[in-house]
Amino acid sequence: MIEFSEKTGIFSLYTGTLAYIMQLFRGKYLLHLHWGPYIELAERSRYVPFDERVNMVHADPGDKSYFIEDLPFEYGFRGNGDFRAPSAMIVDQINAPVLDFIYDSYTIQEGKPPLPGLPSTITMGKDDTETLEIRFVSKSTGVHLCLVYTLYPAFNVITRSVKVENTGKATVRLEKLMSAAVDFAPGEYDLLTLPGSWARERGIERAPLRTGITSVGSTRGMSSHQYNPFAALVRNDTTENNGEVYGINLVYSGNFLGEVEKNQDERIRVHMGIEPSTFSWNLASGDSFCSPEAVLVYSGAGLNGLSGVFHKFYTERLSSSAFRTQERPILINNWEATYFDFDEKKLLALAEKSRDAGIELFVLDDGWFGSRNSDTTSLGDWFVNKEKLPGGIEGLSSKIRSMGMKFGLWFEPEMVSAESVLYKEHPDWILRVPNRSPAEGRNQLVLDLCRDEVVSFLLERVSSILATGSVDYVKWDMNRSLTDVYSSSLEPGEQGGVYHRYILGLYRLMETLTERFPDVLFEGCAAGGGRFDPGILHYMPQYWTSDNTDAVSRLKIQYGTSIVYPPLFMGSHVSASPNHQTGRNTSLEIRSHSAMMGNLGYELDLTVLSKEEFDQIRQQISFYKKHRRLIQFGRFYRLESPFSGNSAAWITVGENKKEFLFFYYHILSEVNKSRSSIRFTGLDERKRYQDTNTLEIYTGSELMHRGYYLPLFQGDFQSILVYFTEAEQ
Ligand code: GLA
């Protein structure tokens, strides 16, 4: 429910277990009172200002009963006596900050208005959501600033965004516009973020909040391998299964900033939004601007509680793709099997083996177009290489399909190679700072998606291939950060908007293509997991988690990713041993157990395996198919962290808690250890469960509170995967 009380000036968004409460102060400011478990407020509840303090500023000299710096704002500005990081910076024609925003009005409506041009979480019918808009007006400029809150009662989720409309006569400039701001009361919190790098994406970092500003963010033009657009405040005594966590995730794929400030009074302000130092936007009279959406999740049940809410919500409400609720196919990808060195014969041999193993989708990766035999050439020339594939994509696809598999294809539409026909014909189509030769990353340049003609060209090119009907799946790659960010299609004064316009162009492209080809399953990729964010996941309901396919490295990567994103989204492949990235040797068993946590695929040359290895793969695939619904749509809980010890463990529990899969990984061999046990999470304490390997029966309460005894492991990189099913009482 969303309610406003005229009497108290209190806005409340609440469900049976969650409440988010704000209050008008002096009729003009909006204060943040509470976000957390459901609470009932007494009628006179209100913000209590501090007593008289020294060295503070009165924003309103006519009313000295409060200090602006004391107030927990719902959205804060700088320049009026609030010295904390501002939620927005808007300047008028004479470059003066707009500081006279005061409360104007509100609306509460069923449903959720769309965010034009931006991805956002979806709604299923009007009664799925309720939306509150709180409007502020600046009289001096005629600018309206509207805080938009949507409540998803069935999920205990609140989404937020901010809309600015210029109803004045003169242009104003947005220099910062955070999508979400929350002022917390003092408390002992840690900040949890998901930093990483190429091939080691989304580690977990948790550290006590210190006084001052701590931030994560990206200025790479993509949400990045280095930082995910996610930050959580975690009470310092919170564990996986107990305690409070407040998580904010931005539905955006470009530069972002997650900023947390703890000030002199230990008050904490949290922001999430577009990164301001690489953003400015001129808002002419009559124009409006919408910030990306932020998703806010509170959990009183630890980090697993937080992840549970995000996983369910994102599985059911993030993507509008028809594949959202469908089981995903097991694929073979030829990249690590052949790299650029393939022809049709080689691919068909791999496809036949894949079909025999039970694989359902054959994905042709990089190298099928132009004269692309290495990463130095041909991006942009999306025409098939007939030397490699004489029958074209259609010819290859029909042969693969006649084997009973689906066919998928790799693209990297946003890029162009300097050595390409496209670049020769349109050298002005790239991002480039005038009078400077642009930097290259992986030998490639970035197309300027601010230009309509570039977006139209890419639409036409990719569509013409998909329109043949021969492609069932697309892997959409993006292999470098943005540099030389300047668009010659825009006036000098508009250059501050290029990063954001690039993302808007990208979203337009993705939206049109995914709408035009609803039967094609799209998988996102950015040199692995470089843009693994809810913005891309809105269009593409699965993602290549990392270019690192090593089973042991993947434990950390997938574990960290699971803080926010469900296993269903995580492309995870069994690859060759020794692994191509780490050189590590691991058994086929642990490689499959690691990959089976998520959306399973294979990425190795199946034609060179021994009969035993091949049979093992066949068994893995049939096991996965049997439990696919449970793995892809079950409730996932982390049990043991690979970041803190020599093991990793998790379980996936089925609907009604009638079955579950237990995954355990023992990393390095240890000597003279006694058997240890591990306690499970999320089971029904009253049910009895059978370990289908040993046929042993356990009660749920026993497994949850006494624990399950692990075998003694011999050798490095060992794992077990056990299926438990409900046993007769
Ligand atoms: C990126 C992707 C890989 C593969 C290569 C092809 O690195 O992440 O999976 O597609 O590009 O060039």
Side-chain angles (χ1 to χ4, degrees):
M1 283 287 284
I2 301 182
E3 278 173 359
F4 176 65
S5 155
E6 293 286 349
K7 205 159 168 190
T8 58
I10 287 182
F11 291 96
S12 33
L13 295 83
Y14 61 91
T15 67
T17 52
L18 173 80
Y20 189 103
I21 302 171
M22 299 161 269
Q23 185 172 32
L24 290 174
F25 180 73
R26 300 288 188 269
K28 55 182 176 182
Y29 299 125
L30 184 66
L31 305 187
H32 179 80
L33 293 199
H34 173 77
W35 172 27
Y38 177 78
I39 54 171
E40 217 157 310
L41 285 178
E43 201 163 88
R44 287 201 61 256
S45 286
R46 63 193 164 85
Y47 170 71
V48 183
F50 276 106
D51 294 333
E52 188 61 29
R53 296 184 71 182
V54 177
N55 197 15
M56 287 241 176
V57 173
H58 294 288
D60 175 6
D63 177 359
K64 298 212 165 135
S65 62
Y66 70 94
F67 303 96
I68 200 105
E69 210 177 342
D70 268 352
L71 301 179
F73 281 108
E74 190 56 24
Y75 206 71
F77 292 88
R78 172 177 286 160
N80 56 357
D82 178 358
F83 298 97
R84 291 163 290 187
S87 311
M89 277 296 282
I90 302 175
V91 297
D92 67 13
Q93 264 208 319
I94 57 162
N95 264 346
V98 181
L99 291 175
D100 58 342
F101 282 108
I102 56 164
Y103 171 75
D104 178 60
S105 57
Y106 77 94
T107 57
I108 297 173
Q109 63 182 93
E110 284 184 336
K112 180 183 185 189
L115 269 184
L118 288 165
S120 58
T121 51
I122 61 168
T123 173
M124 302 279 204
K126 275 193 161 176
D127 49 0
D128 198 35
T129 45
E130 258 186 296
T131 298
L132 164 68
E133 297 197 352
I134 307 179
R135 186 175 286 267
F136 299 80
V137 174
S138 148
K139 288 228 168 77
S140 67
T141 56
V143 174
H144 291 214
L145 188 141
C146 186
L147 304 182
V148 184
Y149 301 80
T150 296
L151 175 68
Y152 285 81
F155 297 89
N156 275 328
V157 168
I158 292 167
T159 63
R160 289 182 59 174
S161 62
V162 177
K163 192 163 64 184
V164 184
E165 280 173 274
N166 186 354
T167 65
K169 291 205 172 65
T171 298
V172 296
R173 196 169 67 249
L174 313 183
E175 296 192 330
K176 180 176 184 184
L177 190 73
M178 292 287 102
S179 297
V182 183
D183 273 7
F184 287 82
E188 294 298 319
Y189 289 99
D190 295 341
L191 174 64
L192 186 147
T193 56
L194 304 175
S197 182
W198 175 79
R200 55 182 161 80
E201 293 87 344
R202 289 169 298 284
I204 300 177
E205 216 169 80
R206 176 174 173 175
L209 212 55
R210 56 174 182 77
T211 306
I213 295 183
T214 313
S215 69
V216 287
S218 169
T219 56
R220 293 171 181 264
M222 60 202 285
S223 51
S224 85
H225 298 82
Q226 287 71 15
Y227 302 100
N228 200 255
F230 171 78
L233 277 197
V234 184
R235 288 265 182 201
N236 64 1
D237 56 357
T238 291
T239 62
E240 274 291 0
N241 296 319
N242 293 296
E244 297 193 291
V245 198
Y246 301 81
I248 306 184
N249 194 200
L250 194 66
V251 186
Y252 191 60
S253 312
N255 294 345
F256 77 94
L257 175 72
E259 151 181 84
V260 183
E261 178 167 8
K262 182 166 160 185
N263 79 352
Q264 58 182 347
D265 296 316
E266 300 191 3
R267 290 167 176 280
I268 300 160
R269 175 170 290 178
V270 179
H271 282 142
M272 182 63 81
I274 294 180
E275 202 282 326
S277 77
T278 51
F279 167 81
S280 71
W281 197 270
N282 297 324
L283 199 66
S285 168
D287 281 359
S288 61
F289 181 91
C290 288
S291 81
E293 176 176 86
V295 177
L296 280 71
V297 173
Y298 163 79
S299 157
L303 290 167
N304 268 324
L306 179 94
S307 305
V309 176
F310 270 117
H311 291 187
K312 186 169 165 42
F313 182 59
Y314 280 172
T315 301
E316 295 181 29
R317 294 289 184 276
L318 180 53
S319 174
S320 44
S321 161
F323 292 92
R324 186 180 67 250
T325 50
Q326 290 176 25
E327 289 181 23
R328 308 297 163 75
I330 300 171
L331 64 82
I332 175 90
N333 180 303
N334 76 308
W335 180 240
E336 287 195 15
T338 67
Y339 295 102
F340 294 106
D341 180 21
F342 61 82
D343 55 20
E344 188 176 274
K345 192 163 158 242
K346 209 168 181 179
L347 296 178
L348 290 175
L350 180 61
E352 261 170 35
K353 273 283 180 193
S354 308
R355 184 258 334 263
D356 292 348
I359 288 173
E360 299 153 322
L361 165 67
F362 182 91
V363 179
L364 174 54
D365 210 278
D366 194 355
W368 58 267
F369 51 89
S371 34
R372 181 119 166 137
N373 294 314
S374 73
D375 64 13
T376 56
T377 148
S378 299
L379 290 174
D381 298 342
W382 301 108
F383 297 94
V384 73
N385 179 335
K386 290 267 176 140
E387 271 167 41
K388 285 181 177 174
L389 306 174
I393 291 299
E394 284 168 271
L396 176 65
S397 164
S398 76
K399 287 181 188 154
I400 302 264
R401 283 175 170 176
S402 66
M403 292 180 196
M405 279 186 295
K406 296 202 182 270
F407 178 74
L409 197 58
W410 180 95
F411 287 92
E412 191 176 357
E414 298 156 69
M415 301 291 157
V416 64
S417 306
E419 200 184 302
S420 66
V421 177
L422 182 67
Y423 187 59
K424 282 197 184 80
E425 285 176 0
H426 298 285
D428 54 332
W429 275 13
I430 60 163
L431 292 175
R432 161 184 267 158
V433 170
N435 306 318
R436 200 193 104 85
S437 51
E440 288 188 9
R442 208 193 186 200
N443 310 303
Q444 61 201 50
L445 302 160
V446 184
L447 288 172
D448 178 1
L449 300 193
C450 304
R451 286 176 178 265
D452 287 342
E453 65 271 34
V454 173
V455 173
S456 305
F457 166 81
L458 294 172
L459 256 179
E460 185 281 318
R461 263 310 54 230
V462 180
S463 294
S464 72
I465 295 166
L466 302 189
T468 60
S470 47
V471 178
D472 303 293
Y473 157 109
V474 166
K475 176 173 169 186
W476 184 295
D477 208 342
M478 191 276 191
N479 275 299
R480 61 159 291 188
S481 307
L482 274 50
T483 58
D484 303 275
V485 178
Y486 190 97
S487 173
S488 48
S489 69
L490 296 169
E491 294 296 323
E494 299 291 341
Q495 296 299 325
V498 173
Y499 278 106
H500 184 58
R501 283 181 201 274
Y502 177 92
I503 294 294
L504 294 179
L506 174 68
Y507 287 154
R508 204 162 72 245
L509 188 56
M510 288 187 169
E511 179 159 308
T512 315
L513 280 170
T514 50
E515 273 176 17
R516 218 177 253 181
F517 301 101
D519 300 332
V520 174
L521 170 61
F522 284 81
E523 173 158 336
C525 175
R531 222 167 38 182
F532 198 121
D533 60 62
I536 302 294
L537 289 162
H538 170 77
Y539 304 105
M540 309 193 168
Q542 56 189 56
Y543 211 96
W544 181 224
T545 317
S546 176
D547 272 351
N548 187 344
T549 58
D550 177 89
V552 180
S553 306
R554 275 296 188 112
L555 299 178
K556 283 187 178 168
I557 296 169
Q558 294 169 189
Y559 193 94
T561 304
S562 80
I563 292 282
V564 184
Y565 307 98
L568 171 69
F569 293 179
M570 297 182 209
S572 42
H573 299 174
V574 173
S575 61
S577 178
N579 178 269
H580 293 187
Q581 292 78 44
T582 61
R584 192 179 350 245
N585 282 296
T586 53
S587 68
L588 202 44
E589 183 168 57
I590 193 170
R591 278 180 273 153
S592 76
H593 289 172
S594 175
M596 279 195 207
M597 167 191 164
N599 197 333
L600 179 66
Y602 286 78
E603 188 163 337
L604 74 171
D605 189 353
L606 296 176
T607 64
V608 298
L609 298 183
S610 68
K611 182 171 177 320
E612 290 70 38
E613 286 172 314
F614 187 73
D615 286 345
Q616 215 180 326
I617 287 182
R618 265 222 313 250
Q619 280 161 21
Q620 292 167 359
I621 290 173
S622 95
F623 179 88
Y624 188 84
K625 284 183 179 166
K626 208 150 114 206
H627 302 296
R628 171 161 38 194
R629 181 129 287 269
L630 171 58
I631 292 173
Q632 297 189 349
F633 294 92
R635 170 76 162 92
F636 175 88
Y637 297 90
R638 290 172 300 275
L639 300 179
E640 264 179 32
S641 169
F643 292 95
S644 53
N646 192 24
S647 60
W650 42 76
I651 66 172
T652 305
V653 182
E655 226 183 317
N656 304 324
K657 307 184 178 187
K658 288 183 170 184
E659 54 170 358
F660 65 91
L661 277 166
F662 167 59
F663 300 74
Y664 188 88
Y665 311 86
H666 187 76
I667 299 170
L668 291 179
S669 181
E670 291 164 310
V671 180
N672 193 19
K673 291 281 263 186
S674 69
R675 282 179 71 184
S676 57
S677 68
I678 181 167
R679 291 201 265 175
F680 293 171
T681 308
L683 309 183
D684 183 338
E685 299 195 0
R686 290 153 311 172
K687 282 193 166 58
R688 292 155 67 85
Y689 296 99
Q690 183 167 42
D691 171 336
T692 59
N693 288 353
T694 62
L695 305 183
E696 219 40 79
I697 293 193
Y698 301 87
T699 64
S701 56
E702 185 180 3
L703 291 171
M704 289 179 72
H705 305 300
R706 180 165 174 270
Y708 174 77
Y709 276 81
L710 295 162
L712 275 175
F713 294 99
Q714 273 285 309
D716 296 339
F717 318 129
Q718 301 292 312
S719 60
I720 54 170
L721 172 49
V722 189
Y723 175 65
F724 287 78
T725 183
E726 188 178 0
E728 300 280 306
Q729 284 294 333

